[in-house]
Structure formats: structure tokens, C-alpha cells
Amino acid sequence: MAENTGCVLVVEGGRLEGIVTTRDLVRLASGSLDLDTTRLAAVMTSPVLSLRQLELTNIFATIHLLRRHRIRHLPIVDEGGAPLGLVTISSLRRLLKQTFFLRFRQVAEVMTTRVVTIEPQAMVQEAVKKIGDHSISCVVVVVGLDNGVGHHGDGVSGEADHLKPVGILTENDLLQLQALGQDLGNLLVEQVMSGPPICVKPDDELGAVQDLMNRKWVGHLVVTNAMGHLAGVVTETDLTDVLDPLDLYGINEILQKQVNSLKDDRDRLLARRHLDLKKGFSRGEFRLVYQPQLHLPIGRVHSAEALLRWRSPEHGNVLPAEFIPLAEQSGFILELGDWILERACQQVLTFQNSPYGPISVAVNVSGLQLNQPDFVTRTCRTIDRLGVDPSLIHLELTESVLVENFSTTSEAFRQLQQHGIRIAIDDFGTGYASLSYLQHFSFDILKIDRSFISELHQQPRNQAIVDSIMRLSEHLDFDLVAEGVESQLELDLLEGMVRPIYIQGYYVSPPLETEAWPAFLAGRASADSTTRWLPLPSPKEM
């Protein structure tokens, strides 16, 4: 399932032939169908409702098709039927971010008041069935105010039911749990729900609701009345329902102007920033910092992740989120990647020659690098030339890279591991790679995305996902790294889990300049190894 889109487009012979959405898979999961062995042709929707590229700038046609057919995904195709892109409710909602017409409109105008609900003690499989039967995107987890148990026999509540919302379970949550190998028939709703839910009031402005959805990266908000009782649900789809023709005409004009100037602006900007990248690189403005990874429960630093930083005299500290995509688009990531690997290898040698080594270093690799025909050869040659133990170099790739070219990726992994290099899968859990899918790849380390570590102590859903990944690691025998550990509570939960794990985050240490590492390691070594591990003060990242 493509990350953040909620659907897969099925293509044969260059033409769009079908579509499978998150809702389709959740509905199928409520039956006895084995999704791991079922072919897409048996479950996809075909033919697919789509929009030609020439019609893309007509926002009227786009909104009309989505509303009329009650769909959330609209593929964009060329004249020959080949897919070029995708318009979704989420992308339309992001388009509305800067518009004014959601102001002075209230939640009560668009919210759904007949809400499908479920009790915390119900089985998750029951939630799957409700979502499938009602063709909805979420169920609200509620308790009754009198006896702590909901008394809504049909599972559909109105405000008069006086139910208190304690969580929410979306179709994306359910699909993600299933992809991670969880048995939905043996899980309670309270173990996997997101709670407490993010709530708004019926008289809140839609503009504020839109901003809240953008900040929290959610598409569903629970509506409660003044007493805190469940009053309804508002979704990102609801926000598009308030648009009237005059509003749409304004957006259409904006889109037309944007489309007319987008390509020229993009090309000019890309050329200018690419020039800045190359100039900055030649002037030595790039550097690597290294964030420690601590091994629990031992409490020793065994590894670190190399992170690229750019301090430009013209632009100041440029965020990686700004310059890394630019480097990938322009192809400069190839030259930059070679430099990063060489510097990381030199740092491994520095660690090895210190009293605290050896310490392995993880290097991030992009899909563009991996797809280069000579990537494996060039990588191995660099490591051998510098005399580095290959097992001390870890190459990190994201889930999305795995699906770009299955055969190329699998073969590259095999050759790199044959040379002794370790492979890590980064940001695991943010996509929809299932257990059966991962079994096709040979890798050594799996990094749990920070989104699941954040508020681990508050979100049962996050705990369930981390537990699934723990079980997955035992089944496939790989190491685990938890990213984004920021609090003692998160550390306590991770330390109490049965399988040893590496932790990485500001609670352990921020990324450190190379010259700050000796003091950091000396501080770690001076800690009493017989006492429970506690974080030590770390120099701030420069």
C-alpha cells in the first residue's frame, strides 16, 4: 500500500487496470480471505474512475467526481490511460490550508451525528466488521456514563446516548496492525485504539479544525458537547463538503496560475539551489554529526547514526528536509553519498583506535544510490580501501526503497551482506510492509519509527505496534533500534520489554560533533555499571 495515499493503483501494460484501497482491504480482512495469498485481480475495483491530465486543473470536475461517486481517491491518467498521479481527499484538504472560506463556518454544519461506536473491551475483529459493514473510515471507542459500559445495542450512537469517547480506531490503524502480523481476533479494542481522542466542539470554526488536522496529521476528529459526551465525528472529507461554487471558482483560478508557472519556477529554483549545493560542498560547508545508539539493558553505546548537516553562509543552517530532497532530484546525492560513506568510514577508524571502540556507524542510502549499477562495487571498494571492518558499517534504507525495485534491492542486499556490511530498514511501520513481504528481504536491523515511540506510555495502539515489531524481530532474528526516545517513561517501557533493543533519541544524546564524542564516551564509561542506566548530560549539537 503506497505510503500516505491509502490505495494501490494496479497497472498492466502501462495502463491503469484497477485500484485497491485501504477500505477494501479492511473489508476483506473481516472475512476469511487470506490477503497474503490473494491476487490483486481478485479484489481490485475495475474499471477505475479516473481523470485525464488535461482536466486536472478543473477543480470543479475533481470535486464533482469525488462527491458524486463518494470516493476518496481519483487517479490522474494521460491520453493512453497510463497513471500519472493521484488526487485524494487529503491532498485537497492540504490545498485548502491557505484559503479563507473555512473561517466562520462551524463544525456543526458538517459533522456526522450518527456515529458507529464500540466498547473498549470488544474484540478488534468486531471493529473490523463494523467498519466494513457500514463502509466508514473509523469507529469511536466509548464508555457509558452510568456503569462504565456502553448501552447502545446497535453500535450506532447519537448525542442522546450520553456516551463518553475514550479513543478512536481508524481503517488505517487496522490495516497497519494486520500488516505487522497481529491477530486481530485476539486483540481488545482498548489495546490498539488511539486515545484519548482529539476532540472539538460543535461551535468550533472549521478553519481551526483544519489547522488542528494539519498539526496532528489526522483525518478524523471526535466532536463532544459541553458535557464531554459524544456528539459526532468530523473528517477531512467533511471539510470539502462546505465548498460552494464561488469558492471553487477562486481555487480554480489559483490552480490555473500555479500550473502555468510551476514548471518554469521549479526549473529555475532547482538550478539555483543545485548550484548552491555544489558551491557549499566545494567550500566545505557540509559535515557529519553522529547520534549515539544505546544498547538496553547493557547501557553501552555500540553504534551511532551519521547525520548530514549544512551550514551555509548565505542561508544559515539549512534543514536536511530541505536540501536532501533537492540533492536527490538533482542527482547530486550520488556525489554527496560517496563523501558521506568515506567520512563515516574514517569515523569508524577513529572510534576503533579510541579506548571505547569499536563503534559501528549507520549511513543513510537513497533509492537513487541503490539503483546505480555500480553502487555495491563502489561501496565495497571504499570500505576495503580505508581498511574498515565491513560489519561496522550499516546501510540504512527506508521501507519505500524496498518496493521501488524488488529484484534489484534484494540482489544488492545479498551482495552487500556477503561482503559483511549490515543492512538496516529505517522508519519501519510508516508504510504497509507486511511480515510476509519482509520475509523476501535479508536484513540485519530494523528501526522503529519515532511516531510509534512518541507517547508510548499513553497510546495503547503504539504499544501494540511496538509489541508486534518485537515479535517480528524474534521470528526473523534481527536487531531493533527505537528512534526518538525523548522521555524516561518511554525508556522504562522499552527497557521492560523482553527483547534487547537499541535506543536512539535526545533523551540519550543529541547528535554530536566528532570532537564531542571523547567526552561523551568517557562520561558513559565512568558511570557505575552496577546501577540502573540513567542518561548523562550531553554536549548540545552545534
Side-chain angles (χ1 to χ4, degrees), residues 212-283:
L212 183 60
M213 285 184 175
N214 286 334
R215 288 200 314 273
K216 299 293 185 178
W217 285 90
V218 296
H220 307 79
L221 299 176
V222 175
V223 185
T224 56
N225 60 21
M227 300 296 294
H229 303 166
L230 176 63
V233 169
V234 61
T235 70
E236 58 187 3
T237 304
D238 297 329
L239 296 185
T240 65
D241 291 340
V242 301
L243 304 180
D244 59 40
L246 289 178
D247 295 329
L248 294 178
Y249 182 75
I251 297 178
N252 189 51
E253 286 190 323
I254 294 170
L255 280 179
Q256 291 282 7
K257 292 177 182 177
Q258 288 179 341
V259 169
N260 290 338
S261 62
L262 180 60
K263 187 177 185 302
D264 290 341
D265 289 346
R266 183 193 62 193
D267 290 346
R268 284 195 297 268
L269 178 63
L270 184 62
R272 185 170 70 249
R273 295 305 298 272
H274 183 207
L275 220 62
D276 289 344
L277 273 174
K278 297 202 72 170
K279 186 190 301 182
F281 183 69
S282 65
R283 295 191 305 202

Side-chain angles (χ1 to χ4, degrees), residues 346-363:
Q346 292 169 355
Q347 185 62 42
V348 166
L349 294 176
T350 300
F351 285 143
Q352 200 163 355
N353 294 328
S354 75
Y356 314 107
I359 294 175
S360 58
V361 172
V363 175

Side-chain angles (χ1 to χ4, degrees), residues 81 155 194 251 329:
S194 295
I251 297 178
Q329 293 170 25

Side-chain angles (χ1 to χ4, degrees), residues 22 27 40 89 96 116 126 183 193 228 259 265 327 414 466 496 502 509 514 530 541:
T22 299
R27 187 182 69 252
L40 283 175
I89 291 294
L96 306 182
V116 178
E126 183 182 341
D183 183 358
M193 69 182 186
V259 169
D265 289 346
R414 187 191 65 78
V466 172
Y502 293 84
S509 171
T514 54
T530 64
E541 178 192 350

Side-chain angles (χ1 to χ4, degrees), residues 435-480:
L435 171 61
S436 61
Y437 189 84
L438 288 180
Q439 285 174 328
H440 292 290
F441 292 97
S442 174
F443 57 93
D444 308 284
I445 303 162
L446 189 145
K447 302 188 72 174
I448 306 172
D449 186 71
R450 67 182 68 243
S451 62
F452 301 117
I453 304 302
S454 174
E455 301 180 350
L456 187 63
H457 57 292
Q458 294 178 337
Q459 292 287 359
R461 170 179 170 270
N462 287 12
Q463 293 182 30
I465 289 175
V466 172
D467 179 68
S468 296
I469 297 173
M470 286 280 190
R471 296 176 188 277
L472 182 66
S473 70
E474 290 182 317
H475 179 71
L476 296 182
D477 191 27
F478 51 73
D479 292 333
L480 285 175

